Amino acid sequence: MKVNEKKAGKMLKYSSIDSFEVSWNGEMVHAATAEHFAILCTSGSGTLVSNEHISRLNEGEVYLLAPGQRFKLAADEQALKGCMVRFEVYEYGGEQQMIATHAFMEGLFWCKDPQQLALSCDRLLQLDVAGDEEHFNRQAALYGLMTLLVEAEAKPESVESTASAIARVADYMNEHLDHDLKRDELAKLAGLSPGYFSWAFQQYTGKTPTAYLVEVRMKRAKELLLSGDGVKETAVRVGYEDEFYFSRRFKQKMGLSPNAFVKSRRYSIASVSDPISGSLLALGLLPKAAAFYPNHELYNRMTRLHSYELGEGQIWQENVDQLRASEPELIFCTDILAERARKELEQIAPTVAIPWLSADWREQLRMIAEVMEHRAEAETWLSEYDGKAEAVYRKVRRNIGGATVNIWRITDSEYRIYGKRNAGAVLYDDFRLAATHRLDDINVFEAVTKEALEKYDADMLIIMVDSTQQAAREWKALQASAQWNRLTAVRHGHVYEVGTEKLFEYSAWSHDRALSYFMRLFG
């Protein structure tokens, strides 16, 4: 059924009209009502913010709002002028009775004849002050206005959710910590007035823009200091030109000066397991020697071990030699390390084996914290993580609903389907998304043939491709196949290729970063 045919089955009842003018850089707030709203812009430009959406509003554009929505209008560098028309919508119910309905056109529309739009506003304003004898003329004018909108072009692409705008600006802040970030500039980037931006930012992040910026700058500063950067270099990289002012702010936030912080976080410990090393970093503990996946930056104050926990061969022997030279007082590994290799480590220092398959990453973090007597730090970290995960979950679910999501990995020699561990931890546990296969039947991943991949189709596919030439060739060949083009996710354009570094590491450090990544990917 066409749009105009759908709307023809409804009856409109005129309520009232008011003209409005928002002075340049000014704002106007309107409370929610039980009526539909048509907000017509006759001159100027600005931003309309409703319960969950932001939209630019320019001359000749109309925004239709359903009942129950509070909204705000904010003008740009010139006054924003127009009219607000309130009306009710009815449709046929049972027994030929008319009942009120919220179902009607919504969103932003561009009128092809702005002059006619202005004339319609003027006509309704004149009729509004007349007596009851003009009732039918007011109704006719309302229907005339709606006719203009039915013939207008819908502009849904101009609408952005408030959550998405705030997330986009937060990402920008994280990526430009070395810039002089001003509130007004950030508000402009979000498409919001400065006042509403500050309010919305705090609503969605729990912090003011200033407090959030200080927090992310200090978090990054800790990482840089632990990786080996000096105080002056760190200050510049997180947006402070004066290293002494930076040091004062750092001490106010952390309770220690930058140099004292580094000394307090250097421990005579080592880790031969990549994910265990990641969880140590989440607790702010800097080992003397540690294995890390390649996506981690180089830590100049640390001996970098090979990412290799098989416990045999030349690479393992090099790790053992480096550990002897580092002389740690404690070594972490996982219980998948062979007994013989663990005995080698025990000859260097006492060794703690953290359960791998029998414990999830939260339990592993708590075990490490227990050994290091950092229980309070672990609980604080987990509490903050869970709050962030819940916020991202709500935003992601709002956008993708109940879509099913499967995770594939393409290696040199096989195809893998993931369960709840490693790649699936954030998506299936934190976001409570559903797969099309039984997650509990897979410990970490299940290797499948290329022909069997079609059984693991879903509404959305996350594809991890190993960074080798052979894996790239396998991926290219799969995309060229008829089998690939039959997949639901492919036909609907919901395939997301990500690097293995985004999801592979099963650690607190990695999952914290995955939250922000998925917010950008799905939010």
Side-chain angles (χ1 to χ4, degrees), residues 220-469:
R220 181 58 180 153
K222 289 190 293 182
E223 294 173 353
L224 292 171
L225 289 166
L226 291 177
S227 71
D229 283 7
V231 176
K232 185 174 183 179
E233 183 182 2
T234 298
V236 172
R237 290 181 67 179
V238 296
Y240 295 93
E241 294 183 3
D242 186 339
E243 66 176 290
F244 299 106
Y245 177 68
F246 162 72
S247 295
R248 289 196 299 273
R249 293 303 302 268
F250 189 92
K251 188 171 183 178
Q252 287 173 357
K253 187 73 175 175
M254 301 304 303
L256 294 169
S257 69
N259 287 327
F261 168 78
V262 172
K263 290 178 182 178
S264 74
R265 292 292 166 169
R266 294 199 69 187
Y267 287 82
S268 186
I269 57 177
S271 168
V272 298
S273 167
D274 309 76
I276 300 303
S277 301
S279 291
L280 286 169
L281 287 184
L283 292 171
L285 304 174
L286 184 68
K288 292 182 73 174
F292 284 102
Y293 289 119
N295 58 299
H296 283 266
E297 62 185 289
L298 293 174
Y299 297 93
N300 297 329
R301 302 177 191 272
M302 178 196 305
T303 298
R304 187 76 170 255
L305 304 179
H306 295 294
S307 176
Y308 188 84
E309 203 180 358
L310 293 182
E312 59 185 17
Q314 181 61 36
I315 293 178
W316 172 253
Q317 194 55 52
E318 289 178 10
N319 276 352
V320 172
D321 292 342
Q322 287 185 301
L323 284 169
R324 286 198 183 98
S326 299
E327 299 182 335
E329 296 176 4
L330 184 70
I331 301 174
F332 284 97
C333 67
T334 67
D335 60 1
I336 65 171
L337 184 65
E339 185 66 26
R340 183 190 60 78
R342 266 190 262 176
K343 289 181 178 178
E344 281 188 278
L345 299 182
E346 290 281 3
Q347 293 175 2
I348 300 171
T351 300
V352 177
I354 301 296
W356 181 239
L357 289 178
S358 62
D360 65 27
W361 68 272
R362 286 178 170 84
E363 293 169 325
Q364 292 167 358
L365 184 72
R366 288 189 170 107
M367 291 176 187
I368 296 168
E370 182 74 23
V371 172
M372 297 303 299
E373 298 185 349
H374 275 61
R375 303 174 194 86
E377 287 89 340
E379 295 307 321
T380 298
W381 192 96
L382 286 169
S383 177
E384 292 176 353
Y385 174 88
D386 288 340
K388 180 179 177 182
E390 183 64 25
V392 176
Y393 157 75
R394 290 196 301 270
K395 295 164 189 172
V396 168
R397 287 303 291 259
R398 187 183 299 127
N399 285 336
I400 70 174
T404 54
V405 182
N406 285 354
I407 306 169
W408 297 5
R409 181 180 176 190
I410 301 172
T411 72
D412 285 357
S413 58
E414 63 184 10
Y415 298 90
R416 297 177 179 179
I417 307 299
Y418 277 81
K420 286 185 177 181
R421 289 180 67 89
N422 289 54
V426 174
L427 290 174
Y428 299 134
D429 282 338
D430 294 327
F431 294 169
R432 283 96 81 185
L433 298 178
T436 59
H437 54 280
R438 285 179 56 83
L439 295 169
D440 292 336
D441 291 345
I442 301 176
N443 278 334
V444 178
F445 66 83
E446 179 181 346
V448 301
T449 64
K450 183 177 180 180
E451 292 70 30
L453 285 174
E454 219 164 341
K455 297 178 182 178
Y456 298 93
D457 190 10
D459 297 320
M460 305 171 73
L461 289 177
I462 305 293
I463 310 290
M464 299 188 293
V465 183
D466 283 9
S467 56
T468 64
Q469 290 184 352

Side-chain angles (χ1 to χ4, degrees), residues 12 14-20 28 30 33 35-42 48 57 61-67 69 71 73 82-89 104-109 117 121 124 141-142 145-146 149:
L12 309 185
Y14 173 82
S15 296
S16 63
I17 183 172
D18 291 302
S19 60
F20 68 83
M28 182 187 75
H30 202 288
T33 72
E35 299 160 308
H36 290 260
F37 255 90
I39 303 162
L40 304 85
C41 178
T42 55
L48 181 145
L57 194 61
E61 292 180 344
V62 180
Y63 200 95
L64 292 178
L65 282 170
Q69 296 198 56
F71 67 89
L73 292 171
C83 295
M84 293 183 290
V85 181
R86 287 174 289 278
F87 59 96
E88 298 172 5
V89 179
F104 194 62
M105 296 188 297
E106 291 185 65
L108 185 66
F109 296 81
L117 184 69
C121 282
L124 265 175
L142 175 62
L145 174 60
M146 290 303 147
L149 299 189

Side-chain angles (χ1 to χ4, degrees), residues 83-201:
C83 295
M84 293 183 290
V85 181
R86 287 174 289 278
F87 59 96
E88 298 172 5
V89 179
Y90 293 85
E91 62 184 1
Y92 283 106
E95 299 180 358
Q96 295 296 306
Q97 296 203 5
M98 300 298 290
I99 58 173
T101 179
H102 286 195
F104 194 62
M105 296 188 297
E106 291 185 65
L108 185 66
F109 296 81
W110 175 72
C111 183
K112 297 178 181 178
D113 189 348
Q115 186 176 4
Q116 185 59 45
L117 184 69
L119 290 173
S120 295
C121 282
D122 290 340
R123 173 66 173 159
L124 265 175
L125 284 168
Q126 292 169 8
L127 292 170
D128 189 67
V129 297
D132 291 341
E133 67 275 8
E134 295 293 347
H135 167 75
F136 291 108
N137 284 330
R138 285 193 288 266
Q139 284 291 111
L142 175 62
Y143 275 96
L145 174 60
M146 290 303 147
T147 300
L148 287 176
L149 299 189
V150 168
E151 296 171 350
E153 295 181 9
K155 301 181 71 175
E157 72 281 356
S158 299
V159 180
E160 179 183 28
S161 72
T162 305
S164 179
I166 296 301
R168 178 167 51 79
V169 173
D171 283 342
Y172 179 86
M173 294 165 75
N174 277 280
E175 293 166 6
H176 297 83
L177 295 177
D178 57 337
H179 287 46
D180 184 18
L181 301 173
K182 302 291 188 184
R183 186 191 69 158
D184 288 3
E185 295 173 359
L186 295 173
K188 188 174 182 180
L189 183 64
L192 298 171
S193 66
Y196 186 78
F197 168 73
S198 294
W199 178 85
F201 196 96

